[in-house]
């Protein structure tokens, strides 16, 4: 009887710890910005595929504004990994660089869309995908 109660207690604590950790990760402003970015990227891709470059340009402007907001946030991974001091400062600088580099690519994409340069648009979509992999690989928490 006591073993069953002990197992039930351990399971209960384990499950609630996971739930609390997940909600803390889900509730960050950065996660909200990234969800908005994901949605806008899909819509922009759809606009480009349908040939509506004007709508895609407007989406680029929206994406840039979300990245500018995200730039001022701190990834949850930094607090989850208890980064402090010079290590935190170094990671924040790397995070800011990835965000800034992505904004530069988006501005180039905006110009390519406005000029109708489809080969440049394709190349820049590839670069954005590379930035996504870099950012998620380096700064996304596993929660």
């Amino acid at each position: 009887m006591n073993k069953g109660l002990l197992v039930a207690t351990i399971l209960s604590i384990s499950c609630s710890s996971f739930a609390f950790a997940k909600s803390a990760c889900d509730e960050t402003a950065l996660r909200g910005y990234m969800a908005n970015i994901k949605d806008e990227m899909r819509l922009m891709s759809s606009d480009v595929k349908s040939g509506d470059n004007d709508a895609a340009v407007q989406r680029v402007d929206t994406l840039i504004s979300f990245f500018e907001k995200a730039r001022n946030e701190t990834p949850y991974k930094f607090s989850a990994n208890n980064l402090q001091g010079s290590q935190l400062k170094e990671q924040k600088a790397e995070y800011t660089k990835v965000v800034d580099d992505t904004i530069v690519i988006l501005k180039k994409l905006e110009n390519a869309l406005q000029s109708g340069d489809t080969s440049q648009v394709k190349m820049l979509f590839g670069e954005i995908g590379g930035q996504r992999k870099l950012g998620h690989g380096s700064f996304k928490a596993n929660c």
Side-chain angles (χ1 to χ4, degrees):
M1 178 87 162
N2 287 340
K3 288 181 184 179
L5 182 60
L6 178 61
V7 169
T9 303
I10 290 172
L11 286 174
S12 175
I13 291 171
S14 298
C15 291
S16 65
S17 296
F18 175 75
F20 287 123
K22 180 134 178 71
S23 67
C25 181
D26 286 343
E27 293 175 3
T28 65
L30 180 57
R31 184 160 176 106
Y33 294 140
M34 290 300 150
N36 291 334
I37 288 168
K38 178 181 165 185
D39 293 342
E40 286 295 318
M41 286 295 294
R42 285 184 179 159
L43 293 169
M44 180 182 62
S45 178
S46 178
D47 290 340
V48 170
K49 287 177 185 175
S50 70
D52 191 353
N53 285 2
D54 292 334
V57 167
Q58 290 177 338
R59 298 217 187 270
V60 170
D61 290 336
T62 302
L63 285 164
I64 290 171
S65 72
F66 282 129
F67 274 104
E68 288 171 342
K69 292 175 185 175
R71 185 182 192 278
N72 298 319
E73 299 297 325
T74 301
Y76 177 77
K77 184 175 183 177
F78 295 178
S79 61
N81 291 346
N82 199 27
L83 297 182
Q84 297 176 5
S86 63
Q87 190 178 25
L88 176 62
K89 186 176 180 178
E90 181 181 307
Q91 286 296 304
K92 279 188 175 184
E94 287 183 36
Y95 168 75
T96 301
K97 181 177 180 347
V98 170
V99 171
D100 289 345
D101 290 349
T102 304
I103 291 171
V104 168
I105 294 168
L106 286 168
K107 288 179 180 179
K108 289 178 183 178
L109 176 62
E110 184 173 35
N111 291 334
L113 287 166
Q114 289 171 337
S115 68
D117 187 346
T118 56
S119 63
Q120 182 77 359
V121 168
K122 287 180 184 179
M123 184 199 68
L124 292 166
F125 267 106
E127 287 185 28
I128 290 169
Q131 288 296 107
R132 178 185 175 274
K133 287 179 185 176
L134 176 63
H136 286 180
S138 300
F139 309 113
K140 185 176 179 185
N142 295 326
C143 42

